[in-house]
Amino acid sequence: MHMQLLNDDRVIIYDRTDFGPSNLTLTEDQCSRSNLKDCTAHSAEYDSITNTFRPLTVQTNNWCSSGATLPNGTLVQTGGYRNGDRAVRMFQPSCNGNGCDWVEFQNKLLQRRWYATDHALPDGRVIIIGGTKAFNYEFYPKTTPSSSQQLYKLPFLEQTTDPAAENNLYPFLFLHADGNLFIFANNKAILFDYTKDVVVRTYPAIPGGDPRSYPSTGSAVVLPLKNLELGVNVEAEVLICGGAPAGSYLKALRTRRFLPALNTCARMKITDPEPTWSIETMPMARVMSDMLLLPNGDVLIINGAGKGSAGWELGRDPVLSPVIYHPNNALESRFQVQTPSQIPRMYHSCAILLRDGRVLVGGSNPHAYYNFTNVLFPTELSLEAFSPPYMSPTNARLRPVIAEPLSNLKIKHGKHLKVKFLIDRLLLINPAWVSVTLLRPPFNTHSLSMTQRMLVLTNTSLARPRGFGKFQVNVAMPKSNNIAPPGFYMLFVVYHNVPSEGVWIQLT
């Protein structure tokens, strides 16, 4: 139900704690520390390098919760259900070898948070917005005495509530290039200054009036940010794809009528003085899909259904074929359909990018409990990897290999970095085809990738030969925390649309 890639290449995976016993047993020591009724795990750490996993001891119910990473790489995980709805859970990567596990704090949130959205901020905190009957926001950590008691109202969430859902759940949330927050709910959006608690501007609604956020669950990204050298006047575009027509949730819930999902994407440059949505048609309709930024700047659309809505057993017609969206292509040539999977990934499935460029896909459980038989879409326990076209054998010789920097380099905003890489010595390198990207891995749940962000770094000098097959490109880190909140990013060299394996960079 939830996934986060950490800066030690391990993926934290977890489900709700009240489904009953799982298929992964806790160790004897973990069981002695667990307050749950069974000694099975409801969270796991998956090592994407060694393809191994181990159980973790999440204690409070994290069903439909949210999360983000702090500047030091620690995963902060907030809210959930019943005994977990005001809890904060922390997971620190690489904490003394194999002993890392969840540390949990009860009643650290001021508001019960179920289906809320988190986002990492330029000052290192995390903002937590919305949730069931929660038309407000708060921050974590509680860095001052006043912040520990301060809950801020956000009327926009109540104003845009979908009557069918009776709540405004999992709103889309992105950090604008100017440091304000772009908040999207139902089919409307605002730009919000959380430091002054004021709405800066109101954006036009998406044409057609159909909702795009939970339970009419579409998915969304901020397209890669470019021209970062000045830290100001950076253009930002939001892309929102799929969803379900108005009324889909209630029709599926009450009458078992499953309406076709939306087959459109809406794209808007949110930095324009007078922004408007442009509408594009996808190759197929989709609800409950995931959208991931790939290292070369393309967007992957994966998972989901062709009919119905988010919610227990309310989706039909699984969409098995991933689609890649090329944002820089001409208008009618942006979508590229990929080879289909054989596994339906419906409600409560996940997808995240790994450092080697593959996409880890897992889960799918549209049922109130684990259910493996006599249902349309059984509970799915498998993980699989989707390999984008840039990983095909025909592209192997185009793939750069980063020689420097080594992983986990710390670098400050505004500093310059020399990136050395190797490439097939027989290639005639065109410097214009070389780029360097930074990608912040998101927290993924319910088709929403929280704090997902990609930056195309500015080249301060072109790639130059340093011997056969050896090259160097000099790049500048973004000057502003608003462009790149502090934390861990994956750095990639991209040549001719083919990315290298990434290395970890901590932007401080």
Side-chain angles (χ1 to χ4, degrees), residues 131-429:
T132 303
K133 298 179 181 178
F135 306 118
N136 51 51
Y137 65 98
E138 60 185 290
F139 301 93
Y140 192 85
K142 310 293 187 185
T143 52
T144 63
S146 61
S147 69
S148 65
Q149 303 297 323
Q150 190 72 36
L151 193 65
Y152 301 88
K153 293 182 179 180
L154 186 55
F156 171 75
L157 294 180
E158 192 164 11
Q159 296 161 3
T160 53
T161 292
D162 184 345
E166 298 179 350
N167 275 292
N168 209 328
L169 308 180
Y170 282 134
F172 300 156
L173 183 60
F174 300 115
L175 183 66
H176 190 285
D178 64 5
N180 294 312
L181 290 171
F182 175 87
I183 306 175
F184 178 95
N186 201 337
N187 63 3
K188 298 177 181 176
I190 58 171
L191 189 61
F192 185 69
D193 185 342
Y194 63 89
T195 66
K196 298 178 181 177
D197 194 29
V198 296
V199 175
V200 176
R201 69 188 303 185
T202 299
Y203 291 99
I206 291 181
D210 287 316
R212 305 274 181 160
S213 53
Y214 191 98
S216 295
T217 302
S219 48
V221 296
V222 172
L223 295 177
L225 301 178
K226 304 175 182 179
N227 304 319
L228 309 178
E229 65 273 13
L230 298 178
V232 294
N233 299 323
V234 175
E235 293 183 349
E237 284 188 272
V238 167
L239 179 71
I240 299 175
C241 292
S248 291
Y249 175 75
L250 289 183
K251 282 184 171 63
L253 182 68
R254 295 176 180 176
T255 69
R256 314 308 288 177
R257 182 184 170 199
F258 304 98
L259 299 181
L262 301 176
N263 69 345
T264 56
C265 293
R267 179 171 169 173
M268 180 171 66
K269 192 174 292 184
I270 62 175
T271 46
D272 274 0
E274 297 183 5
T276 58
W277 294 101
S278 61
I279 304 299
E280 303 177 48
T281 302
M282 295 189 291
M284 69 282 286
R286 250 190 169 103
V287 62
M288 296 184 291
S289 62
D290 290 284
M291 288 175 66
L292 297 176
L293 293 166
L294 299 177
N296 61 0
D298 288 340
V299 181
L300 175 67
I301 308 172
I302 196 168
N303 300 337
K307 291 182 179 178
S309 166
W312 299 129
E313 302 176 353
L314 300 184
R316 294 293 186 273
D317 293 358
V319 183
L320 300 177
S321 295
V323 170
I324 289 180
Y325 177 84
H326 304 284
N328 298 323
N329 283 10
L331 186 58
E332 298 298 326
S333 60
R334 291 176 178 166
F335 295 97
Q336 182 183 7
V337 179
Q338 305 297 297
T339 302
S341 167
Q342 301 303 309
I343 303 174
R345 302 289 183 181
M346 306 293 279
Y347 192 48
H348 291 150
S349 58
C350 287
I352 59 168
L353 179 76
L354 299 176
R355 186 168 57 86
D356 65 7
R358 295 176 301 161
V359 173
L360 185 69
V361 185
S364 182
N365 185 26
H367 316 293
Y369 298 96
Y370 300 128
N371 199 335
F372 301 98
T373 58
N374 301 317
V375 289
L376 277 176
F377 307 110
T379 301
E380 181 57 62
L381 300 182
S382 68
L383 290 174
E384 59 183 334
F386 168 75
S387 294
Y390 53 65
M391 299 199 73
S392 69
T394 57
N395 286 323
R397 67 191 300 258
L398 295 175
R399 194 169 204 202
V401 176
I402 296 177
E404 293 181 24
L406 302 177
S407 236
N408 289 311
L409 171 77
K410 289 185 178 181
I411 188 168
K412 293 183 178 181
H413 288 82
K415 295 294 184 180
H416 288 225
L417 178 66
K418 295 179 180 179
V419 180
K420 298 178 182 180
F421 63 96
L422 310 176
I423 204 165
D424 190 320
R425 65 177 60 193
L426 298 180
L427 291 176
L428 296 175
I429 298 297

Side-chain angles (χ1 to χ4, degrees), residues 9-61:
D9 292 307
R10 289 171 168 85
V11 181
I12 304 304
I13 303 172
Y14 56 93
D15 209 343
R16 56 188 288 192
T17 59
D18 59 351
F19 268 173
S22 77
N23 285 357
L24 185 58
T25 304
L26 295 174
T27 66
E28 184 175 340
D29 177 61
Q30 287 175 321
C31 186
S32 68
R33 292 185 279 112
S34 174
N35 62 12
L36 301 178
K37 294 179 181 179
D38 61 78
C39 277
T40 63
H42 301 278
S43 178
E45 179 190 71
Y46 171 69
D47 189 327
S48 65
I49 303 299
T50 63
N51 196 34
T52 57
F53 58 90
R54 65 184 183 91
L56 301 174
T57 58
V58 66
Q59 307 278 341
T60 52
N61 197 342

